[in-house]
Amino acid sequence: MARLALTLVIIGALNWLLVGLFEWDLVAALFGGDSHRVSSGVSRVVYSLVGIAGLYCIRFYVDDNAVAK
């Protein structure tokens, strides 16, 4: 269950990274909705930081102590 939660968090964070860098929402593009988001500069920085944190979290898949199996 912990790995499923980690996977969903990483997917969400990577989506925010795409919004922050390119103003493009992958989830909305895949499942319907407006995939282009217009955001302020500050919010794009925050979205990008969340996305970078998601990239960092990928390492928890190989760290046996970080996520319960």
Side-chain angles (χ1 to χ4, degrees):
M1 190 63 157
R3 288 197 183 263
L4 175 61
L6 178 61
T7 300
L8 291 173
V9 167
I10 291 171
I11 290 170
L14 294 178
N15 187 62
W16 281 121
L17 181 62
L18 291 172
V19 171
L21 295 178
F22 306 111
E23 294 185 343
W24 188 68
D25 187 339
L26 175 64
V27 175
L30 292 175
F31 298 107
D34 186 12
S35 61
H36 185 74
R37 292 178 176 250
V38 178
S39 304
S40 72
V42 174
S43 62
R44 290 183 68 189
V45 169
V46 172
Y47 295 151
S48 297
L49 291 174
V50 170
I52 291 168
L55 289 174
Y56 177 78
C57 287
I58 292 172
R59 73 180 280 278
F60 295 136
Y61 278 112
V62 295
D63 187 0
D64 289 333
N65 296 324
V67 178
K69 292 181 179 180

